Amino acid sequence: MSLVLSGGGARGAIHLGVMQALDEHEIKIEAVSGTSIGAIVGALYCAGMSPLEIKKLMETKKFASVFQLSWNRKGLLTMTKLKKTLAEFIPVNDFQSLRTPFYCCVSTLESGKFEIIDKGDLSRAVLASASIPILFAPIEINGQHYVDGGLLNNLPVEPFQGKSNVLAIHVNNYKYLGSENIRSIAERVFTLVSRQTARNKLEKCDYVIEPLLDKTYRVLDFRNTGELFDIGYNEGLKFVRGIKKPAGPK
């Protein structure tokens, strides 16, 4: 089965719960395509970390501090700590070092188009894919400037076009309860934009997991990782039961 993992910040723990359910039921994940947090989760998983190991990492203060970053001289957040975290768990910084094929979606500021990267410098590709516009500094790769892949393609199914058994996990379907907080409003606006890029991609997948969340779960707040993991795990179990349901009588 090939997985397509959406962006969604801390809600990416849902991806891990689904992946754990798949692993427990011996449904092999043959390739992963991801954007933003989906790219971070996907890269770590394809490097050999288990969903439970990644969940444990996300629950640490060390991981949360990755997104509590220092401002650079241009007034943007830098991603130095995320780069160090990736280097710790993926010592060989190259797509070819991964155990499972991985595709990373990024948005290019120069062309205004998304790109799928699957070779070369793994760390820079993942950093670019997770660089939320306005908040984080763009990542330069070969003279081009890249930001969050979810800006232009929040469900990068393109690597699996023409293939079967493609499962999309979309984690941005939540109830907006209203807020006058500028940060919450900004997050909601970005989520609405990225959701629109995903809508026409869902029909290109064989299966879709898109739980409706009863609250927002802020993008950079990882305190609910366990709760979100459980949501994903339960959704994953439903999915597994559905595809393994015995055929009825003819």
Side-chain angles (χ1 to χ4, degrees):
M1 180 159 296
S2 300
L3 295 189
V4 184
L5 307 181
S6 78
R11 294 187 292 274
I14 293 172
H15 295 320
L16 296 172
V18 175
M19 295 161 79
Q20 177 64 25
L22 296 180
D23 279 2
E24 286 181 359
H25 290 80
E26 299 182 341
I27 296 177
K28 182 176 175 56
I29 299 174
E30 298 177 343
V32 178
S33 177
T35 193
S36 200
I37 191 65
I40 296 173
V41 167
L44 292 171
Y45 180 84
C46 291
M49 290 183 72
S50 72
L52 287 176
E53 288 173 333
I54 304 172
K55 171 182 176 283
K56 185 176 180 180
L57 172 63
M58 287 179 66
E59 289 177 322
T60 64
K61 291 182 179 179
K62 176 181 178 179
F63 188 85
S65 72
V66 163
F67 299 96
Q68 296 172 356
L69 308 173
S70 58
W71 297 94
N72 69 7
R73 61 184 178 82
K74 297 179 181 178
L76 296 169
L77 291 169
T78 58
M79 304 197 81
T80 305
K81 292 182 182 178
L82 178 56
K83 183 177 181 179
K84 290 181 179 178
T85 299
L86 292 173
E88 179 181 348
F89 294 97
I90 310 176
V92 181
N93 183 32
D94 193 288
F95 279 82
Q96 298 304 313
S97 72
L98 300 176
R99 299 181 184 181
T100 303
F102 170 63
Y103 304 87
C104 183
C105 182
V106 296
S107 297
T108 319
L109 291 182
E110 280 80 3
S111 69
K113 298 179 180 179
F114 71 85
E115 294 181 18
I116 305 292
I117 302 176
D118 64 350
K119 61 185 64 176
D121 191 320
L122 174 66
S123 174
R124 292 192 74 79
V126 174
L127 292 177
S129 187
S131 293
I132 301 172
I134 308 302
L135 185 60
F136 293 99
I139 302 297
E140 185 174 343
I141 303 175
N142 298 327
Q144 301 289 300
H145 296 84
Y146 295 89
V147 295
D148 197 312
L151 176 66
L152 299 175
N153 185 355
N154 203 35
L155 206 65
V157 68
E158 286 74 15
F160 307 135
Q161 299 257 307
K163 296 185 178 181
S164 58
N165 287 325
V166 177
L167 168 62
I169 309 174
H170 186 244
V171 300
N172 294 313
N173 186 23
Y174 64 85
K175 295 179 180 178
Y176 180 62
L177 304 178
S179 173
E180 296 181 358
N181 179 285
I182 188 64
R183 183 172 175 178
S184 296
I185 294 172
E187 287 183 6
R188 180 60 174 173
V189 169
F190 186 75
T191 297
L192 290 173
V193 172
S194 62
R195 278 177 65 182
Q196 289 306 307
T197 72
R199 295 266 62 92
N200 66 338
K201 305 294 180 70
L202 293 172
E203 62 188 32
K204 297 180 181 180
C205 301
D206 298 293
Y207 310 102
V208 174
I209 292 178
E210 187 184 32
L212 175 60
L213 307 177
D214 60 8
K215 57 184 179 181
T216 301
Y217 295 103
R218 294 180 63 176
V219 171
L220 299 181
D221 184 353
F222 290 86
R223 290 174 295 181
N224 296 303
T225 292
E227 183 178 333
L228 288 161
F229 179 93
D230 290 343
I231 291 172
Y233 181 71
N234 289 328
E235 291 291 325
L237 290 180
K238 291 178 190 175
F239 170 74
V240 169
R241 295 186 191 111
I243 64 173
K244 289 193 170 184
K245 187 180 299 181
K250 296 183 178 179

